[in-house]
Structure formats: structure tokens, C-alpha cells
Amino acid sequence: MKPKIREFIFQELIFVANPDQFSDDDDLLEAGLDSMGIMRLIMFIEDNFGVTLPDEEIDPDNVQTLNALEKWILRHKK
Amino acid sequence: MNQISDLITAFLEQCERTPKHIAFSQDDRQISYQQFEQRTKKVAGYLTGSNQCIAIAMDRGIDAAIAIYGILRSGNSYLPLDINNPANRLNFIIADAHPVYIIGIGPCPENINIDSQETQWLDLRDLLISDFSYRNVQIKTDAIAAILYTSGSTGTPKGVALSHKAITNFATWAGTTFNISQSDHIASLAPFHFDLSIFDLFTSLSCGAIVSFIPNRLTLSPSKLTQWLCDNKITTWYTVPSLLSFIALKGSLETRPLSDLKQILFAGEVFPTPQLIKLTTLLPNVNLYNLYGPTETNVCCYWPVITKQLQADKNIPIGIPACNAVLTIDKTTHELLVESDNNFSGYWQNGKLNTVTFKPQGYATGDKVSINAKHEYCYHGRLDRMLKCSGYRVEPAEIESIINQLEGIETSVVIGLKDITSGQRPAAAVVIKKGHTLTHIIKPLRQKLPAYMFPCKFTELSAIPLLSNGKVDYLSIEKKLTH
């Protein structure tokens, strides 16, 4: 799951000079992920991984890093 | 109402009517009209001279509002700096504007360089405890009130200078058209260097409304943002379509009807109609208004959203003339020309106002428009390359000029890619000098461009493709960037 999300983020949402060196704990928001990017990311995750992420939980804390994002998704994956 | 032509008179008259009423609210802090008026007087008493540019280096909020009104009361013009800008852009603007003072809180931050002898850093807290007495200053209606820097087509930012008369004309129109009164509670999110803030700062306080600053962190939490709008009993909000799209899709509005909200005004970019339809369905009792106009004319056209008229595959019109503007369409280019009391006085460059000579029909916007069967104006894109990114206007030339300064870059072309949510995203095609790699070259760019200007994609080309007439083939570059 993470590699697919990673690919989507770095191909569609933000440009980082060297995605391979961007760690799962690096800050996506600092790297340029904004409100529109978060919206597209959530739609991508919901469409591809059969999970619904509750609106109330959309928050910087849950999308700050790839690891935080994964934890958030796993909490809702049955 | 008698004709008021400067921002301070309108404000002071309101202070006399409702001194105890809350003017601004920010987190747990509130300030009444009277308290606010007294603080602005302190600031004005300290600031000597008149018709000078005074910059503000503060995040939006009560303190920055005190500084702005204080500067205006002293007879000077305010320049709100975007403190989140990279240092090179921030310092370019300071060097270009030659402000006599930069007002902030605490000591001057490291990313601001004050090289020049003529600029002095001031700590707002010192101003507020100073005991200089304030002498009433007569403000001329054509004096410059605000200098708002926007992206420039020549590669560097330029300051749009707006007079008291221009801002008052807009503020009064908006107050009347949207029926703003003491019972209104306005949500404010626009940074003060963004022209949407003119409504939050001036229409509000001339009508006796309360302005509440939306905490920055909520822009990434749509559901918490709508809860905040609900808790703060917001009646009116002027913001950008991209955020409204986010709220329409993810803001939990199904379970949170926002019963106090009367109206939402939006501007800055085209609102994608499917998302707008969704918003009108979720908020059936809220009046929505599409406001249109470049910073140079402020709002010159507006369209009260008519739900029945919305079609998912058709863009909404920009509507009918606003603020008593007289609109003309150039017969050959279809460019919109605007004659309005809102119009800017000129560009602030190199520390002074360079007045502009308008065409007989007014300011040429660079926007292509037409009129539909209902006599509404419709927007059809730009005559030049300007982009709209997150509500900001972005000149590709400004991004190209920064990219071209990077070590190892031969040349670059920046275009806009349509974003599915709203507006555009800059994307860059670059030609690299031998012996360099793209990933290496691009690294320092993040520190040189504001986030909304940072290209979402890069592609490497051996040469910039040209058309047979020698002009850049933007279409083929766009194809390369989308595939």
C-alpha cells in the first residue's frame, strides 16, 4: 500500500528533488502538500484501498508523514 | 448615508456608534471597537511623516490589524509582507518598496534583511506603551492606503497601490450589497497581503460587525473548520473556491447545517461547477456570490449564484458590474476593460508611486470575456500566461526567472496544469547544462519560491520546442508534462 501512495504523492501532488531519499517520517506538509493535495490524496486512498476515512479525522496530524498516513488508514481498514 | 471617502472616518464613526461592541476576535482574545481605536491611536501617535510606505511583518490577526489601522490613521500607507515568503522574495519586496518602518512583534527576524539606512524595524509592543500624543491627521481621499504586492509578468513582484477612495468605494459597496450590520459575524482567513482581506478589514469595521480570525491549522481540517464556523456563529465569509471545494466534499456539512451562516462570497479563481453544486445542495439557505476582479480593480463584477442555473459542465458567469464599474469589451481581443472608482493609482516601485495611464475605457485586465443571453459577463481565460494557483495570481515569468538563476539551468518554461479541484498548478520544463542532474539542480528551489508557486511537476527537455513562427510551443510542453 505504502509504495502506491508514495508514487501517487510524488507523481501527482508534490515534487521533491529525490523521492527515494524522502523517508516515511519526513514532513509532507513542509514539502508542499496543501489542502487541495490532501483532498486528492484521500480520494485516491478511498478509491484504491477500499477504506473510508472519516471527515472528522482529516487533520494535519494524520497526513503529516507517510507513516502517520499509513497508521490512519490501517485504523479504518477491516 | 453621507459620502465618506477615507477609511479612518468610516471607522471612527462606527466606534462612536458601538464602542463596547467586539471588533475582532482571535482564539481566546477579543478586542472592542473602543479598545481597538485606542490602540490604533497609540500606533499613529508614534509614526511621524505622511504618505510613506510602512511595512508589516506579522501573521494576520488582531495585532496586524492594529498596525494597519494605526498606519492609516497616521496618514501613511500599509504594506503587508507575506512572512511565509522565502527570504529572497521577502527581501526583494522590502528593497523595492523602501518602507520607512517595518512593524513586527519582538526583534527583527533573521530572514528579513534591513540593508538600507532609511528603513527601521519597530516592535509593535513598544509602540503600544509609548506616550506620544496623537494629532489628528487629515487624510486626502486620493492618498495611498494599501500597497499589495502580486506576482509580476516581468519576473519580479510588483506593488499595486490602492487609494483610500478606491478601498472605501469597494468597502461601502460590499457593506450595502451584502447588507453587513452590527449583527454580522465575519470569518477572516485571507492573509492581509491578499486583496480579499480588504473586505474583512474595512467593510466589517465600517458596518459594526465582529471579525473572527480562523486559526491557520483549520485550513487542513475541513470538518473542524465547519465546526469552528458553527461555534463562532459566523454569518458571512469571503474566501477562495479551493477551500470551499474541500469543505463541500469533506467538511461534514451533511450533519452540520451552519444555521447562522447567511452568505459566502468567493473570488480568486474559477469555482468548478460540480463542487459548487454540491455546496449549494449542502447549504440550501446560504446565499453564494461569485466576486471577480484583479487586485488592480478589486471587485468589478459579481454574480449572485442562482442554483437553478448551475450546470455541472458549464462554468458560472462572473455576472454584472459591481462597485459602479463601467465595463467595456475590446472588439478585437475580447479583453475586459474596467473603469471604476475602485481602480488602483499605480504600481509602487523603487520606493515611490508610478502612476499609470489607463486606456480611455479604463484598466485593461488581460482577461477574455463575453456577454451571455442573460446580459451576464462570462470569463474565458487569459490573453497572457498568468495563472491562478490557490487563489493567488502567479506569473510564469516570475517562476522562470527564479529557476533560471539556479546553477546548472540553461533555460526553463513554466506553464499551468489544470487542477481537478480548482485553479491551476505551475509545472516546469527545463533545459539543463551538461554535467548537471535535474534532482540536484532543483533542490535549492524550495527555499526560493512560495509554496503556491512551486511547480508540481518538472520535465527535462534537450531544447525548448518552438513553433514555426519562433514562439514557444506551450501546447507541446503541456503534453510532455501531462504524460
Side-chain angles (χ1 to χ4, degrees):
Chain A
M1 180 171 72
K2 217 149 58 178
K4 247 184 124 175
I5 295 176
R6 200 174 235 288
E7 191 189 327
F8 178 76
I9 291 177
F10 295 127
Q11 286 201 350
E12 297 294 325
L13 305 180
I14 50 178
F15 179 89
V16 296
N18 204 337
D20 297 339
Q21 280 174 21
F22 195 94
S23 93
D24 291 350
D25 287 314
D26 281 345
D27 196 321
L28 290 166
L29 303 175
E30 254 173 37
L33 186 66
D34 60 9
S35 63
M36 288 186 284
I38 292 172
M39 183 157 77
R40 286 179 59 187
L41 179 60
I42 291 167
M43 296 194 300
F44 173 81
I45 292 166
E46 294 186 333
D47 290 348
N48 285 274
F49 304 112
V51 57
T52 305
L53 298 169
D55 292 354
E56 302 76 44
E57 292 179 19
I58 303 173
D59 194 75
D61 290 346
N62 284 331
V63 294
Q64 195 121 27
T65 65
L66 278 152
N67 277 335
L69 193 58
E70 186 188 43
K71 266 190 206 151
W72 183 33
I73 298 166
L74 291 177
R75 277 206 301 277
H76 295 282
K77 210 161 162 65
K78 279 159 204 147
Chain B
M1 208 202 279
N2 56 342
Q3 201 70 35
I4 296 170
S5 55
D6 77 84
L7 295 162
I8 293 305
T9 309
F11 161 64
L12 292 178
E13 287 186 5
Q14 186 58 43
C15 289
E16 275 179 27
R17 287 191 289 268
T18 53
K20 304 283 180 219
H21 203 78
I22 300 297
F24 290 104
S25 154
Q26 180 180 14
D27 299 319
D28 298 331
R29 187 178 166 201
Q30 292 192 321
I31 188 166
S32 71
Y33 274 76
Q34 190 173 47
Q35 290 166 326
F36 185 75
E37 187 273 323
Q38 284 162 356
R39 283 180 176 67
T40 63
K41 204 165 162 181
K42 282 271 185 194
V43 174
Y46 188 95
L47 302 171
T48 49
S50 62
N51 299 315
Q52 308 170 104
C53 167
I54 300 180
I56 296 164
M58 278 182 249
D59 205 356
R60 68 194 175 82
I62 294 176
D63 290 324
I66 291 170
I68 288 175
Y69 270 86
I71 291 167
L72 293 175
R73 277 188 94 169
S74 72
N76 291 294
S77 329
Y78 78 92
L79 157 60
L81 296 168
D82 182 354
I83 51 169
N84 297 316
N85 261 185
N88 61 316
R89 195 172 197 265
L90 197 56
N91 289 312
F92 171 87
I93 292 173
I94 293 169
D96 185 59
H98 299 266
V100 285
Y101 299 112
I102 303 177
I103 305 177
I105 290 181
C108 179
E110 275 178 10
N111 60 343
I112 292 180
N113 300 328
I114 303 181
D115 300 327
S116 145
Q117 293 286 324
E118 57 185 352
T119 302
Q120 190 191 341
W121 176 268
L122 293 177
D123 182 345
L124 181 71
R125 292 172 306 189
D126 294 338
L127 271 56
L128 293 176
I129 52 168
S130 69
D131 46 12
F132 292 94
S133 62
Y134 169 72
R135 286 176 304 108
N136 212 12
V137 176
Q138 275 300 320
I139 295 164
K140 290 208 180 86
T141 168
D142 57 359
I144 300 304
I147 300 166
L148 306 179
Y149 270 78
T150 71
S151 191
S153 56
T154 53
T156 51
K158 57 180 177 183
V160 177
L162 299 164
S163 67
H164 277 264
K165 178 181 160 192
I167 296 182
T168 306
N169 188 60
F170 166 74
T172 311
W173 172 84
T176 312
T177 306
F178 306 115
N179 201 14
I180 305 296
S181 73
Q182 290 169 34
S183 60
D184 275 299
H185 209 137
I186 295 170
S188 176
L189 184 63
F192 291 164
H193 56 90
F194 198 177
D195 56 6
L196 268 63
S197 66
I198 288 175
F199 175 82
D200 303 345
L201 282 167
F202 302 110
T203 299
S204 55
L205 292 209
S206 61
C207 297
I210 307 178
V211 178
S212 286
F213 292 105
I214 300 177
N216 283 332
R217 61 179 187 280
L218 295 186
T219 55
L220 299 180
S221 310
S223 176
K224 288 179 185 152
L225 176 52
T226 55
Q227 185 63 54
W228 184 94
L229 295 171
C230 185
D231 295 344
N232 286 276
K233 302 190 184 325
I234 296 302
T235 63
T236 303
W237 186 24
Y238 184 17
T239 190
V240 289
S242 44
L243 197 61
L244 292 172
S245 291
F246 199 20
I247 282 180
L249 296 171
K250 297 284 169 194
S252 312
L253 286 173
E254 295 84 354
T255 53
R256 202 171 289 139
L258 301 180
S259 50
D260 292 296
L261 191 62
K262 290 192 313 197
Q263 54 200 351
I264 296 177
L265 326 178
F266 57 86
E269 59 202 348
V270 180
F271 202 143
T273 314
Q275 272 89 299
L276 179 58
I277 291 173
K278 171 115 187 164
L279 193 66
T280 57
T281 316
L282 290 165
L283 299 172
N285 301 318
V286 175
N287 293 316
L288 294 151
Y289 298 90
N290 181 21
L291 272 50
Y292 159 88
T295 308
E296 284 87 343
T297 70
N298 205 333
V299 175
C300 61
C301 220
Y302 82 117
W303 189 63
V305 174
I306 304 162
T307 313
K308 281 186 297 190
Q309 212 177 308
L310 297 176
Q311 287 175 271
D313 57 348
K314 275 183 80 177
N315 277 345
I316 57 169
I318 52 173
I320 52 172
C323 306
N324 302 318
V326 177
L327 308 181
T328 316
I329 303 176
D330 184 281
K331 282 198 178 67
T332 46
T333 60
H334 306 289
E335 181 176 23
L336 179 68
L337 296 129
V338 182
E339 181 50 57
S340 165
D341 282 344
N342 281 3
N343 280 7
F344 73 128
S345 308
Y347 293 107
W348 188 268
Q349 278 167 324
N350 215 358
K352 60 177 191 345
L353 177 71
N354 283 328
T355 48
V356 285
T357 318
F358 295 119
K359 290 185 179 175
Q361 303 96 331
Y363 173 72
T365 59
D367 285 345
K368 275 184 283 183
V369 301
S370 67
I371 297 180
N372 67 15
K374 294 194 175 71
H375 305 286
E376 296 157 340
Y377 285 81
C378 300
Y379 171 76
H380 301 291
R382 293 287 300 170
L383 286 162
D384 59 14
R385 299 164 58 209
M386 192 181 92
L387 310 176
K388 281 306 189 91
C389 307
S390 310
Y392 285 92
R393 90 182 195 203
V394 170
E395 292 288 356
E398 192 183 338
I399 305 175
E400 287 162 3
S401 113
I402 303 273
I403 293 178
N404 293 346
Q405 286 165 27
L406 297 171
E407 171 111 29
I409 289 281
E410 187 79 49
T411 185
S412 65
V413 171
V414 170
I415 60 152
L417 298 180
K418 201 171 177 325
D419 193 280
I420 55 153
T421 49
S422 81
Q424 294 153 301
R425 297 265 172 160
V430 294
V431 179
I432 289 170
K433 286 181 187 158
K434 278 210 177 79
H436 292 267
T437 57
L438 180 65
T439 50
H440 205 75
I441 294 171
I442 299 302
K443 249 183 195 156
L445 194 61
R446 180 78 60 194
Q447 279 78 50
K448 293 179 187 293
L449 286 171
Y452 59 87
M453 282 195 184
F454 197 85
C456 66
K457 277 187 185 175
F458 284 87
T459 189
E460 201 181 321
L461 302 176
S462 55
I464 296 298
L466 300 176
L467 297 164
S468 55
N469 63 5
K471 287 184 177 170
V472 174
D473 185 355
Y474 292 109
L475 217 61
S476 108
I477 292 175
E478 189 179 332
K479 273 188 192 146
K480 289 220 164 63
L481 278 159
T482 43
H483 287 115

